[in-house]
């Protein structure tokens, strides 16, 4: 294992380097180097990653690359790709990269080649997706399935819903897709209000098939279906209206879903890395097996890029190292992701689980509390909406908020001049953030002297611009994989297990304790703190008898 982060020579060199780098202004860096805007950019398969508006010099990048080397990024990356159990707290391999490996690849987990298993499931998903798309699969009453409802949460929801939104342009429009995740009954009720049970198929997606939210929604869905079909005492309609995606065949059968209608995956696929496993079944039904294949192709292209490109030209590695630079040296606590494409409206929400469940950790691989900052808060909104809300704070607030701008050379909806206006805003925002407006410039505009301080833009706000040709299943796969491997790079530098999520457990366990305390008819003996006890008392008093 590499040395603790603060002891790595490159980390110490970066600490010293930061003291001078923090005072450099992007205005001066660009003025001193006419080539900066083209030199600090990487192109890969049509992706154009411009990081020249980041607060870095050549030396910063050299040192960050050294840091990656001293953190053994090479070795850890090889360990991940080769199926070693790098998720040490759960003793599991981490092989989402195998989900998009070509059919002729060989990747073994504990001596077993998993690629044929992956393709066997993909083929079954493909056959099923085609039956739904063509109308061949009919419901219990013989009617064609028109509505697909994915029930899942976390990794079993965010990927499917984000991908559905992102790829709507490519989806079969006579099918309706809905995504139910929240245990709040409102989610189920509102999403099914206008659906005809005879034409509705539920995809119950859960790696464990024990998640409270998903099992509650699935049970409600089963009652809704049976009631809607007037079949309360007969479970047989379930066979035609429910399929499952899970690693847990036993629980699937227990719920009453025929395991012939189950699509499996494996414990080496983390929930937040699972959208290209069978968890992507709704995506495949929407865009078809070919479209799904293209999505996987995009993921795979970035896997290969991440695995083989030298670090200086390695987009996800650079993205990850830049995040480390801002988190650990500038004290930046957040990272904004600003996609300028309406189809990517759920992309920031998707990234929140991917990034924050992966690197929201404070204990390093050796079990010690870290003494440096780890994963930042990821957040964002599609442009240009964010500009009219929170960008004020990025431009003139006191926080350093590194931002990823994502734009497209071509739009899928070329109406009027919209795309020129949209893209002009990408470029204008990154320019304004980097260069700002000086007091002298403000004065020159004839602004009253008393207002000058309010109208000054300090600038020097860091951003990257990632330009993509157009939004396709392939480029969507690329985009997601870039962030997956950026997160991996960060986790390696921070010596984290980026693949467990113990932090979500405590709340789940406590909720199980509280549920009977809310429901029991006899007044329960409460042993919580005085705040929790009072909240429970008040809820019980308000609860309908
Ligand atoms: O797919 P499931 O087993 O239902 O899990 C759904 C989600 O819940 C858990 O609490 C984890 O925090 C997530 O990583 C996971 O994606």
């Amino acid at each position: 294992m590499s040395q603790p982060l603060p002891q790595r020579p490159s980390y110490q060199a970066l600490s010293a380097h930061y003291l001078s780098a923090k005072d450099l202004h992007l205005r001066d860096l660009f003025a001193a180097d006419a080539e900066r805007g083209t030199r600090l950019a990487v192109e890969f398969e049509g992706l154009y990653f411009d990081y020249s508006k980041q607060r870095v010099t050549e030396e910063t990048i050299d040192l960050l690359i050294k840091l990656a080397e001293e953190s053994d990024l090479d070795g850890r990356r090889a360990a991940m790709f080769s199926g070693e159990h790098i998720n040490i707290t759960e003793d599991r391999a981490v092989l989402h990269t195998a989900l998009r490996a070509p059919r002729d690849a060989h990747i073994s987990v504990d001596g077993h080649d998993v690629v044929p298993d992956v393709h066997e499931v993909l083929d079954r998903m493909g056959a099923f997706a085609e039956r739904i798309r063509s109308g061949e699969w009919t419901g219990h009453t013989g009617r064609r399935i028109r509505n697909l409802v994915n029930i899942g949460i976390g990794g079993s929801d965010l990927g499917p819903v984000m991908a559905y939104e992102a790829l709507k342009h490519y989806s079969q429009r006579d099918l309706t897709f809905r995504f139910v995740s929240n245990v709040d009954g409102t989610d189920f009720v509102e999403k099914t209000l206008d659906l005809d049970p005879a034409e509705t198929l539920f995809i119950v997606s859960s790696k464990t098939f024990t998640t409270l939210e998903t099992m509650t929604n699935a049970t409600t869905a089963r009652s809704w279906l049976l009631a809607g079909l007037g079949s309360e005492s007969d479970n047989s309609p379930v066979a035609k209206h429910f399929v499952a995606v899970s690693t847990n065949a036993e629980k699937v059968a227990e719920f009453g879903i025929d395991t012939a209608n189950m699509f499996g995956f494996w414990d080496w696929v983390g929930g937040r890395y699972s959208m290209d496993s069978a968890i992507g079944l709704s995506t495949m039904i929407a865009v078809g097996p070919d479209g799904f294949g293209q999505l996987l192709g995009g993921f795979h292209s970035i896997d290969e890029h991440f695995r083989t490109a030298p670090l200086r030209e390695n987009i996800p590695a650079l993205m990850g190292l830049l995040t480390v630079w801002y988190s650990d040296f500038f004290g930046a606590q957040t990272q904004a992701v600003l996609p300028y494409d309406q189809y990517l409206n759920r992309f920031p929400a998707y990234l929140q689980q991917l990034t924050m469940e992966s690197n929201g950790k404070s204990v390093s691989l050796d079990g010690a509390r870290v003494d440096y900052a780890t994963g930042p808060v990821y957040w964002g909104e599609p442009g240009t909406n964010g500009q009219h809300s929170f960008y004020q704070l990025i431009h003139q607030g006191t926080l350093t908020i590194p931002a990823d701008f994502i734009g497209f050379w071509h739009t899928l909806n070329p109406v009027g001049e919209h795309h020129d206006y949209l893209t002009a805003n990408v470029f204008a925002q990154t320019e304004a953030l980097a260069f700002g407006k000086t007091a002298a410039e403000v004065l020159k505009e004839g602004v009253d002297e008393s207002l000058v301080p309010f109208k000054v833009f300090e600038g020097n706000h860091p951003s990257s611009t990632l330009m993509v040709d157009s939004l396709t299943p392939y480029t969507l796969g690329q985009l997601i994989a870039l962030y997956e491997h950026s997160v991996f790079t960060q986790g390696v530098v921070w010596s984290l297990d980026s693949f467990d999520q113990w932090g979500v457990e405590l709340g789940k366990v406590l909720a199980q304790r509280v549920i009977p305390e809310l429901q029991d008819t006899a007044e329960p003996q409460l042993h919580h703190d005085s705040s929790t006890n009072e909240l429970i008392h008040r809820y019980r008093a308000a609860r309908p008898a």
Side-chain angles (χ1 to χ4, degrees):
M1 198 186 296
S2 38
Q3 288 168 294
L5 178 58
Q7 287 168 32
R8 288 171 218 158
S10 53
Y11 188 85
Q12 293 171 358
L14 276 162
S15 305
H17 169 69
Y18 167 72
L19 297 178
S20 55
K22 72 177 177 13
D23 296 325
L24 297 174
H25 198 292
L26 285 165
R27 260 182 230 134
D28 303 318
L29 291 171
F30 272 86
D33 174 5
E35 311 278 289
R36 183 180 170 94
T38 47
R39 210 164 29 75
L40 299 187
V42 181
E43 218 168 338
F44 172 73
E45 266 195 13
L47 297 173
Y48 184 70
F49 177 64
D50 173 357
Y51 63 101
S52 61
K53 296 191 185 92
Q54 296 286 4
R55 292 174 65 178
V56 294
T57 62
E58 289 291 342
E59 191 187 351
T60 321
I61 299 298
D62 286 343
L63 288 172
L64 287 170
I65 287 174
K66 240 187 223 131
L67 179 63
E69 288 163 359
E70 284 175 11
S71 308
D72 192 26
L73 179 61
D74 266 7
R76 306 264 296 133
R77 185 178 53 192
M80 173 172 73
F81 276 92
S82 66
E84 278 180 40
H85 286 211
I86 63 165
N87 176 356
I88 55 161
T89 71
E90 295 179 300
D91 191 19
R92 286 176 182 169
V94 174
L95 265 184
H96 41 279
T97 51
L99 297 171
R100 52 262 193 161
R103 218 174 262 277
D104 58 359
H106 297 283
I107 300 167
S108 88
V109 178
D110 307 325
H112 172 76
D113 186 357
V114 297
V115 179
D117 302 351
V118 166
H119 283 273
E120 191 258 329
V121 175
L122 281 172
D123 292 343
R124 283 185 53 231
M125 287 165 64
F128 177 72
E130 288 298 16
R131 290 181 71 190
I132 297 286
R133 287 164 64 84
S134 66
E136 184 198 324
W137 180 289
T138 50
H140 186 67
T141 65
R143 302 246 294 276
R144 186 176 172 167
I145 295 297
R146 303 247 171 228
N147 315 311
L148 287 304
V149 182
N150 186 77
I151 297 180
I153 196 163
S156 301
D157 166 69
L158 288 161
V161 72
M162 178 274 288
Y164 171 67
E165 290 289 329
L167 300 178
K168 221 177 231 170
H169 180 80
Y170 302 92
S171 76
Q172 187 167 316
R173 298 281 186 163
D174 63 356
L175 296 175
T176 296
F177 290 83
R178 299 276 163 81
F179 300 85
V180 174
S181 52
N182 200 332
V183 76
D184 182 344
T186 299
D187 201 13
F188 182 85
V189 169
E190 286 294 338
K191 301 265 175 65
T192 52
L193 209 55
D194 57 344
L195 302 186
D196 179 345
E199 299 184 340
T200 301
L201 182 118
F202 291 96
I203 304 172
V204 185
S205 299
S206 174
K207 182 174 169 182
T208 54
F209 232 71
T210 57
T211 304
L212 171 79
E213 290 84 346
T214 302
M215 297 332 294
T216 307
N217 279 319
T219 306
T220 300
R222 191 174 49 193
S223 309
W224 176 87
L225 174 86
L226 297 178
L229 295 180
S231 177
E232 279 93 339
S233 53
D234 169 20
N235 257 340
S236 57
V238 170
K240 292 298 208 108
H241 293 266
F242 275 79
V243 297
V245 178
S246 187
T247 58
N248 193 340
E250 210 175 295
K251 290 274 174 203
V252 168
E254 219 172 87
F255 181 84
I257 298 176
D258 185 350
T259 46
N261 297 331
M262 167 181 160
F263 300 88
F265 60 114
W266 308 272
D267 74 351
W268 41 263
V269 182
R272 55 195 174 274
Y273 297 88
S274 66
M275 61 167 284
D276 43 6
S277 71
I279 290 292
L281 184 61
S282 60
T283 315
M284 194 192 261
I285 297 171
V287 303
D290 283 353
F292 198 77
Q294 288 159 27
L295 178 80
L296 298 184
F299 272 101
H300 182 65
S301 94
I302 296 298
D303 292 343
E304 286 305 284
H305 169 71
F306 178 57
R307 207 170 58 78
T308 58
L311 293 181
R312 235 177 206 281
E313 290 145 41
N314 195 313
I315 302 175
L318 288 169
M319 287 167 67
L321 291 169
L322 286 165
T323 301
V324 169
W325 173 233
Y326 292 112
S327 299
D328 291 346
F329 299 100
F330 285 81
Q333 297 193 343
T334 85
Q335 165 77 47
V337 181
L338 309 164
Y340 279 66
D341 191 301
Q342 189 59 30
Y343 285 124
L344 290 179
N345 66 81
R346 293 297 287 165
F347 193 58
Y350 171 78
L351 288 185
Q352 288 188 323
Q353 187 198 15
L354 176 67
T355 59
M356 288 153 72
E357 213 174 55
S358 295
N359 287 338
K361 315 276 163 75
S362 50
V363 171
S364 61
L365 288 166
D366 57 4
R369 176 76 161 79
V370 299
D371 51 1
Y372 44 85
T374 61
V377 172
Y378 275 74
W379 60 286
E381 275 289 316
T384 55
N385 299 14
Q387 288 173 212
H388 297 273
S389 109
F390 54 77
Y391 279 37
Q392 164 65 33
L393 185 148
I394 309 183
H395 282 288
Q396 286 190 313
T398 53
L399 303 177
T400 298
I401 301 184
D404 288 352
F405 284 80
I406 300 171
F408 293 84
W409 301 127
H410 301 105
T411 175
L412 296 172
N413 293 300
V415 261
E417 295 176 23
H418 286 250
H419 195 60
D420 293 342
Y421 295 171
L422 178 71
T423 312
N425 274 286
V426 178
F427 304 157
Q429 286 297 327
T430 66
E431 190 178 19
L433 286 168
F435 302 105
K437 199 194 245 184
T438 63
E441 286 167 334
V442 177
L443 270 174
K444 238 206 224 144
E445 290 171 355
V447 167
D448 188 279
E449 216 161 305
S450 67
L451 286 179
V452 170
F454 301 98
K455 298 205 165 192
V456 164
F457 286 66
E458 286 176 6
N460 220 14
H461 298 295
S463 69
S464 291
T465 309
L466 181 67
M467 294 299 298
V468 184
D469 186 61
S470 65
L471 182 59
T472 64
Y474 189 87
T475 58
L476 179 69
Q478 288 185 311
L479 272 177
I480 301 161
L482 284 178
Y483 281 92
E484 286 181 349
H485 296 315
S486 164
V487 164
F488 179 81
T489 303
Q490 296 161 30
V492 166
V493 173
W494 289 325
S495 300
L496 301 176
D497 185 335
S498 301
F499 304 100
D500 61 13
Q501 59 282 318
W502 299 109
V504 294
E505 292 305 318
L506 179 61
K508 283 191 199 172
V509 172
L510 294 188
Q512 288 300 343
R513 207 166 97 195
V514 174
I515 290 168
E517 294 172 344
L518 301 184
Q519 295 182 327
D520 282 357
T521 31
E523 197 61 32
Q525 290 291 316
L526 297 179
H527 302 289
H528 303 274
D529 57 276
S530 54
S531 156
T532 311
N533 285 346
E534 181 62 14
L535 292 167
I536 293 171
H537 278 309
R538 284 177 180 256
Y539 183 84
R540 287 180 61 87
R543 198 166 182 261

